[in-house]
Amino acid sequence: MAWVTKDSQETYEKPAPPREYTKAEKAGNWWAYHKWYVIIGVLIAAMLVWIIRDMLFRTSPDYQIGYIGMAELPVDTAEALTTALEQNFCTDRNGDGQVVVQLNQYTLDLTFDNQNIDPAVQMAGVTQLTADLSSADGSYIFLMEDPQAFVEYTGALQYLDGTLPDPDADPATLDWTKMVYRWTDCPVLAGLELGSYTGYTAVDDSTGENQDVLGQLYVGRLAVWNEDRADNYTDAAALWDALTAGAVSTVEAEG
């Protein structure tokens, strides 16, 4: 039987050597496969830098005041109020070389009857207000459009004579008229030189007097049952006394 064998002289075509990519091509290929990892990493790093910077360089307020209303105060009104308080009534409590009054604004309807308020805004306002009331040194003085709704929802104000409501009482049974002054009941507040505002909201150019805006509000102060926590509000209580000096509650008289 004959065997067929390959000629030992037969040659085969050698495979082409792998292509050598240029540095630019290698970089482009690497970027195509890794760009989202890089972008996400940069965003995370930027967020961490922002958080650390905010923690290290944020100015801590010496006093905090809460505002609860259906819409935010005009920017000019808020700035005029905090500036007037900083310059005339407040001190550098934390020793950082600055006197800062922080106005915490909560846009919400505590009657939960207004259909014009965005539910997301309402929920955010409730969450932020709850956190403020639970804080060890949050807002002490409150400016309110609807003090009855505020008291019935939170039960968080003390009486004008300085006594505290029963912490176990149903907030709806509390006499809110004995817990607040009208802004206009307070000679010191009503007498502040606050100037005027331009633009009640960010999308209009209406003008008016800042005192006219604030004159529609009521003022009350936080009820603090914990003695250790109350020590944090000693200076804030002194500010309350200064701002309400000579005040006579027409709300209580009418109630």
Side-chain angles (χ1 to χ4, degrees):
M1 179 176 180
W3 296 92
V4 179
T5 61
K6 291 185 177 180
D7 188 344
S8 61
Q9 300 300 315
E10 185 177 354
T11 60
Y12 297 91
E13 183 178 349
K14 295 182 178 180
R19 177 186 172 188
E20 289 290 331
Y21 291 94
T22 66
K23 291 183 177 180
E25 290 175 324
K26 290 179 179 179
N29 185 59
W30 184 91
W31 176 250
Y33 284 99
H34 297 86
K35 63 181 179 180
W36 288 113
Y37 296 100
V38 174
I39 292 172
I40 293 172
V42 169
L43 290 176
I44 293 175
M47 185 177 297
L48 290 175
V49 169
W50 182 85
I51 292 173
I52 294 172
R53 180 180 180 277
D54 183 63
M55 292 176 62
L56 294 178
F57 298 101
R58 178 176 54 192
T59 301
S60 299
D62 297 290
Y63 303 82
Q64 296 188 60
I65 295 175
Y67 161 76
I68 301 91
M70 305 286 275
E72 287 193 355
L73 296 172
V75 173
D76 293 339
T77 304
E79 291 182 351
L81 174 59
T82 55
T83 299
L85 297 182
E86 290 166 355
Q87 294 179 350
N88 298 290
F89 300 96
C90 299
T91 59
D92 180 12
R93 294 179 57 235
N94 54 26
D96 64 357
Q98 301 181 67
V99 179
V100 177
V101 175
Q102 179 172 295
L103 181 63
N104 302 315
Q105 301 198 55
Y106 306 109
T107 305
L108 52 92
D109 170 27
L110 291 178
T111 66
F112 298 91
D113 290 332
N114 191 310
Q115 303 301 316
N116 295 323
I117 291 186
D118 186 327
V121 173
Q122 175 83 356
M123 181 58 67
V126 169
T127 302
Q128 293 166 351
L129 176 60
T130 301
D132 190 354
L133 294 174
S134 302
S135 173
D137 57 355
S139 300
Y140 182 76
I141 297 173
F142 286 90
L143 308 177
M144 300 154 281
E145 281 186 350
D146 188 343
Q148 180 176 2
F150 181 82
V151 171
E152 290 183 354
Y153 182 76
T154 67
L157 296 183
Q158 61 179 280
Y159 291 106
L160 295 176
D161 63 5
T163 58
L164 300 174
D166 182 349
D168 297 321
D170 179 354
T173 65
L174 300 178
D175 188 353
W176 67 272
T177 66
K178 296 182 179 180
M179 297 177 168
V180 297
Y181 294 113
R182 285 191 175 89
W183 177 280
T184 51
D185 289 339
C186 305
V188 174
L189 292 175
L192 293 176
E193 295 291 339
L194 299 178
S196 59
Y197 65 85
T198 300
Y200 200 98
T201 67
V203 295
D204 69 44
D205 56 0
S206 60
T207 61
E209 296 298 315
N210 291 322
Q211 276 288 357
D212 291 340
V213 176
L214 297 170
Q216 302 175 47
L217 304 179
Y218 300 77
V219 295
R221 58 173 167 168
L222 184 68
V224 184
W225 291 273
N226 184 294
E227 291 185 4
D228 292 335
R229 185 183 175 196
D231 290 340
N232 296 332
Y233 291 109
T234 300
D235 294 323
L239 175 61
W240 165 267
D241 291 338
L243 297 179
T244 59
V248 177
S249 177
T250 59
V251 183
E252 182 179 354
E254 292 174 359

